[in-house]
Amino acid sequence: QRHQRTLKVAVVGCSHGQLEAIYERMVQMESQQNAKFDLLICCGDFQSIRNHGDLHHFHAPFHHRKLGTFYKYYSGEKVAPLLTLFVGGNHESSGFMAELPNGGWVAPNIFYMGYASVSNSRCLSRLALSPPFPFGHFERPPFRERGSVVSAYHVRSVDIFRLRHLKDGPPLDIFFSHDWPAGITDFGDWETLLRIKPHFTEDVRNNRLGNPATMDLLHQLKPAHWFAAHLHVHFTAVVPHSSASPTASVTRFLALDKPNENPRRRFIQFLHIPIAEDAPLDLCYDPQWLAILRATDELTQFTDKSVFMPSAVSPPTTDDIDSLLHSFGADLRIPSNFLHTAPPEREPWNCKGRPPSLYYRNPQTQQFCE
Ligand code: 5GP
Ligand code: MN
């Protein structure tokens, strides 16, 4: 019997700025398992804070408004040891994320997926994701008021609308989002979940634990795997689909906890996903997704009026996709074109050795100091 080629994927729940600790844990697990991992997927609350200025656009309680460890990977002091993909959560560097609405590199080897996107990656035929949170109004940057910093992470109905069109394309291997799809708890051991998290009881009973918009997407897109975070607990579920479809007959849902020392609270999990022998190893744009973005571009323009989604938009045809591929040439690989768009944070902070404070700028030195 031939050995099946597999992709070795590590998945984490919320990162909460603890990227350094996550990579340290990965290196440790790699030596224990005597394996090298191909890809790390982070399901939001990633907190890619580049410098103290980014804390102005970071929505979190005061005691959580800290630099974290991402800035070391941004400044170049450290390098991410493997390709890392992340989706936005409700605690993000929202000003920075607004620079990359369709995704992009936030540091060498660390790729943000944007509001919603699809990629072919490292032998997976397709990855997709949706953003974090229930519907709400959405505002453009700069995020000045408390309200607009909150609205920055809301799921836009245009993203759900776009993602729905993926059902006509090739099957999805992995879908990842910050929040759980509301209703997923019916397909797993919710009794154990409620023993660990009794304060979810009301929401589970009323089928509203999670994002109300994304369970329909799960049923329509039928990805083989769906990863999520946000509720800070490990949970699995298996959603059956009708066997008539060419896509996966079940979706395996996996939610993970946030980084912590307790071995019973799992925040990282390793999966070996079977892949084709000849599958490519690069992160690439997905032609169908590019065609969907182009066909729906006018829906993302900012106006003072409410914009409603059309009741129907015909999905991109093979001709649309062919012409798009033609305009790209044959090469859909996402180039490694990371650029600094803000000054990296560097220690020492020049505030008598202490980190500068977010809230006070010294008028003489223009430094943020306490
Ligand atoms: P975050 O880290 O995003 O600020 O907060 C996550 C925490 O908020 C979770 O651990 C969970 O306790 C709580 N939470 C988030 N969404 C819900 C929800 O829909 N229902 C309930 N009951 N709690 C939630
Ligand atoms: Mn969260």
Side-chain angles (χ1 to χ4, degrees):
Q1 199 185 341
R2 283 191 63 206
H3 185 68
Q4 164 80 55
R5 189 172 165 211
T6 59
L7 183 77
K8 293 166 194 73
V9 186
V11 190
V12 298
C14 306
S15 312
H16 288 301
Q18 300 188 50
L19 197 54
E20 201 172 25
I22 291 169
Y23 288 141
E24 277 165 12
R25 176 71 168 263
M26 283 216 57
V27 169
Q28 189 190 22
M29 298 291 283
E30 280 185 335
S31 71
Q32 278 166 4
Q33 301 193 4
N34 197 18
K36 262 264 167 267
F37 286 87
D38 299 304
L39 179 67
L40 172 68
I41 291 180
C42 300
C43 299
D45 287 351
F46 188 76
Q47 299 176 199
S48 51
I49 308 289
R50 297 168 291 189
N51 56 35
H52 278 84
D54 275 346
L55 290 173
H56 289 284
H57 309 122
F58 172 51
H59 183 246
F62 185 80
H63 60 283
H64 286 312
R65 298 178 79 173
K66 299 194 184 112
L67 209 49
T69 52
F70 169 80
Y71 79 95
K72 297 182 185 178
Y73 300 87
Y74 186 77
S75 71
E77 180 189 329
K78 295 208 156 184
V79 180
L82 81 171
L83 176 66
T84 303
L85 306 179
F86 76 98
V87 51
N90 51 315
H91 301 297
E92 295 302 344
S93 185
S94 299
F96 187 17
M97 301 297 90
E99 293 176 15
L100 301 165
N102 290 314
W105 301 105
V106 298
N109 247 356
I110 307 180
F111 193 81
Y112 166 55
M113 301 290 281
Y115 287 125
S117 65
V118 182
S119 302
N120 292 280
S121 172
R122 303 254 164 158
C123 326
L124 286 174
S125 53
R126 303 221 290 172
L127 296 160
L129 78 150
S130 78
F133 243 53
F135 288 118
H137 71 301
F138 180 84
E139 288 167 44
R140 69 186 131 173
F143 306 117
R144 294 189 192 287
E145 311 298 330
R146 210 181 135 70
S148 66
V149 154
V150 171
S151 88
Y153 58 74
H154 283 159
V155 171
R156 306 180 308 175
S157 41
V158 66
D159 296 319
I160 301 292
F161 181 76
R162 285 170 163 170
L163 288 163
R164 279 214 309 264
H165 288 92
L166 290 170
K167 69 176 190 306
D168 305 300
L172 288 161
D173 292 305
I174 294 180
F175 195 104
F176 58 116
S177 60
H178 181 57
D179 204 356
W180 303 15
I184 192 70
T185 42
D186 286 349
F187 297 91
D189 182 1
W190 54 267
E191 281 129 323
T192 301
L193 174 71
L194 293 187
R195 267 198 295 279
I196 306 168
K197 299 266 185 186
H199 61 287
F200 292 164
T201 306
E202 271 304 292
D203 284 350
V204 168
R205 279 219 184 100
N206 295 296
N207 231 4
R208 59 167 194 231
L209 187 73
N211 189 317
T214 48
M215 195 67 192
D216 280 347
L217 270 182
L218 186 152
H219 287 303
Q220 286 161 7
L221 305 183
K222 305 178 175 65
H225 297 270
W226 186 309
F227 305 136
H230 188 51
L231 298 178
H232 299 168
V233 63
H234 180 268
F235 181 75
T236 59
V238 179
V239 183
H241 303 299
S242 88
S243 53
S245 73
T247 41
S249 58
V250 297
T251 293
R252 291 180 193 285
F253 176 80
L254 168 65
L256 291 149
D257 210 328
K258 61 178 171 179
N260 64 82
E261 299 294 329
N262 183 343
R264 295 212 319 227
R265 292 188 55 185
R266 295 163 70 180
F267 73 91
I268 187 161
Q269 192 153 322
F270 297 95
L271 290 99
H272 295 241
I273 297 180
I275 48 164
E277 264 336 293
D278 57 351
L281 275 162
D282 295 306
L283 191 61
C284 297
Y285 294 112
D286 183 88
Q288 193 203 10
W289 183 250
L290 294 181
I292 293 169
L293 286 183
R294 188 153 73 176
T296 54
D297 189 44
E298 66 192 48
L299 300 174
T300 60
Q301 282 162 26
F302 284 105
T303 78
D304 292 340
K305 303 193 185 77
S306 297
V307 176
F308 295 96
M309 294 304 114
S311 54
V313 155
S314 38
T317 62
T318 357
D319 280 355
D320 295 335
I321 294 171
D322 283 348
S323 84
L324 224 145
L325 287 177
H326 189 74
S327 69
F328 261 81
D331 195 0
L332 285 175
R333 275 177 305 178
I334 297 177
S336 296
N337 55 2
F338 164 71
L339 271 179
H340 283 116
T341 50
E345 184 77 44
R346 290 196 199 284
E347 292 176 70
W349 281 286
N350 207 14
C351 289
K352 300 189 190 116
R354 287 172 308 165
S357 140
L358 170 59
Y359 291 106
Y360 174 68
R361 188 201 283 266
N362 181 320
Q364 262 104 48
T365 63
Q366 290 298 308
Q367 286 282 327
F368 289 101
C369 289
E370 282 177 295

